[in-house]
Amino acid sequence: MSDLPKSVDIAEEGPREAFQIEPGPIPTERKIALIDALSATGLKHIQVASFVNPKMVPGWADAEQVVAGFTPREGVKYNALWFNPAGLQRVLAFKDRLSVFGSVTFTGSEAFAQRNLNRDHDGQLEAMRKHVAAHQAAGVPVTRVSLQAAFGCNFSGDVPAAQALAALGRIMGLARELDLPIEKISLADSMGWATPVRVERLVGEVLAKYPEQRLSLHLHDTRGMAISCAVAGLRMGVSAFDAAVGGLGGCPFAAHPGAAGNIATEELVFLCEEMGIETGVDLGKLLDAAALAQDIVGHPLPSAMIRGGALSPYREKAMAA
């Protein structure tokens, strides 16, 4: 077990995660309003859009309009998601507003790759070679590795740590072969199979094999385990997390309708504050953004913090009594 990190970096993915999966159309101006509200919270990394085929993800047919419309705040890095050269070119049109970097992605489950990408593991590696070449031709650095379905898969079951580590080894081998300056490894619980024990086991093995790499966790709250998995990660020394305000989003390729989305950003911030870990985020403003997100999507979000609120008002009231 490592010492707790003194601070954590939180990458906010709520806008991109939410609007790719919500069934109803969300007006462009409301997407922009959420991004601007999140910009005022102290978050330093916000994923604002997904440049994907609108036939596949109609919720992001207005990606250009959203990216052109939000108000950038100094000190905040904004980025977007894309999967192919056409998406990359769309992103590069906004390189004055977006932080543009690439990542190489692999899956712990070959069945998920087949379902999501229509490729086996060998096909994934070949696709990633082409992906890297397209980024290098465009002058975009590839600095991250992401392992999807790192803990389990709705189509093939459990992903043992040894299997996940072997899959990670294949994509890290490609990164070494291509001399990529990898700065971070992301372990993604794409379908909500992670538990604290699984997190401890896999994080421990990854850190043992790649001690020079920084780790990030991408946790889904499908079975209410995300916050306990975050505790496990923090106790292992993980200092970077993806999160989504209100618990927005979910994986559209997981064949699990109605499942909760990512760990709620406000729950993660509250957890870190209570553990004495700095986040740089104003929890009150973040809760306001969560309430806005819930209003925008028009249905209750899974975050317990939206309903329960922060403890600070009760502490202040008790001290004043």
Side-chain angles (χ1 to χ4, degrees):
M1 181 182 296
S2 301
D3 293 333
L4 290 174
K6 292 182 172 58
S7 64
V8 298
D9 291 333
I10 298 174
E12 172 59 52
E13 297 190 344
R16 190 272 301 171
E17 279 272 357
F19 306 134
Q20 74 175 10
I21 203 167
E22 286 295 321
I26 306 295
T28 300
E29 61 271 16
R30 300 225 75 191
K31 296 177 182 179
I32 292 170
L34 179 59
I35 294 165
D36 287 344
L38 290 166
S39 296
T41 64
L43 288 164
K44 300 301 182 187
H45 307 274
I46 303 175
Q47 193 168 66
V48 295
S50 189
F51 286 89
V52 291
N53 187 335
K55 292 181 180 179
M56 298 294 293
V57 187
W60 274 114
D62 60 348
E64 279 84 357
Q65 291 88 341
V66 171
V67 174
F70 76 83
T71 302
R73 181 173 287 246
E74 187 175 354
V76 181
K77 291 184 178 180
Y78 303 90
N79 70 298
L81 187 70
W82 67 93
F83 295 112
N84 55 36
L88 174 58
Q89 291 307 311
R90 292 171 67 192
V91 170
L92 288 174
F94 295 96
K95 61 184 178 181
D96 58 328
R97 299 172 68 82
L98 298 175
S99 174
V100 184
F101 56 87
S103 64
V104 284
T105 303
F106 208 63
T107 58
S109 160
E110 195 164 41
F112 185 58
Q114 292 278 17
R115 179 87 176 213
N116 192 359
L117 302 168
N118 196 30
R119 300 185 184 109
D120 60 12
H121 274 170
D122 288 341
Q124 276 190 280
L125 284 178
E126 185 57 33
M128 286 299 99
R129 288 180 189 278
K130 296 176 181 177
H131 178 80
V132 170
H135 283 69
Q136 291 175 333
V140 174
V142 178
T143 60
R144 300 187 184 184
V145 163
S146 176
L147 184 68
Q148 306 291 311
F151 301 94
C153 172
N154 288 351
F155 313 112
S156 63
D158 291 309
V159 175
Q163 179 179 328
L165 200 65
L168 181 60
R170 294 196 71 183
I171 195 66
M172 287 296 287
L174 180 67
R176 286 192 298 271
E177 175 191 328
L178 299 178
D179 198 25
L180 302 179
I182 300 301
E183 299 171 355
K184 186 186 295 184
I185 295 172
S186 172
L187 302 176
D189 182 28
S190 310
M191 289 166 276
W193 284 64
T195 64
V197 171
R198 289 174 183 266
V199 168
E200 289 175 1
R201 185 177 298 127
L202 182 56
V203 167
E205 294 201 22
V206 172
L207 286 173
K209 187 168 183 179
Y210 304 102
E212 75 287 357
Q213 291 291 338
R214 190 179 189 196
L215 295 192
S216 174
L217 285 175
H218 179 100
L219 301 168
H220 281 232
D221 203 32
T222 308
R223 294 170 179 83
M225 289 283 101
I227 203 72
S228 57
C229 288
V231 173
L234 289 165
R235 287 177 172 168
M236 295 296 292
V238 175
S239 61
F241 293 83
D242 298 333
V245 64
L248 285 165
C251 179
F253 307 106
H256 203 146
N262 285 18
I263 187 171
T265 313
E266 59 275 13
E267 292 183 354
L268 180 60
V269 169
F270 175 70
L271 170 70
C272 289
E273 287 187 355
E274 292 297 304
M275 295 177 74
I277 301 169
E278 288 289 330
T279 66
V281 177
D282 184 315
L283 184 56
K285 291 181 179 179
L286 184 58
L287 284 167
D288 289 341
L292 174 62
Q294 184 166 263
D295 181 67
I296 288 171
V297 298
H299 60 78
L301 291 175
S303 168
M305 289 290 294
I306 294 178
R307 299 183 296 278
L311 285 177
S312 52
Y314 297 95
R315 286 176 171 145
E316 292 167 5
K317 184 177 180 179
M319 290 183 66

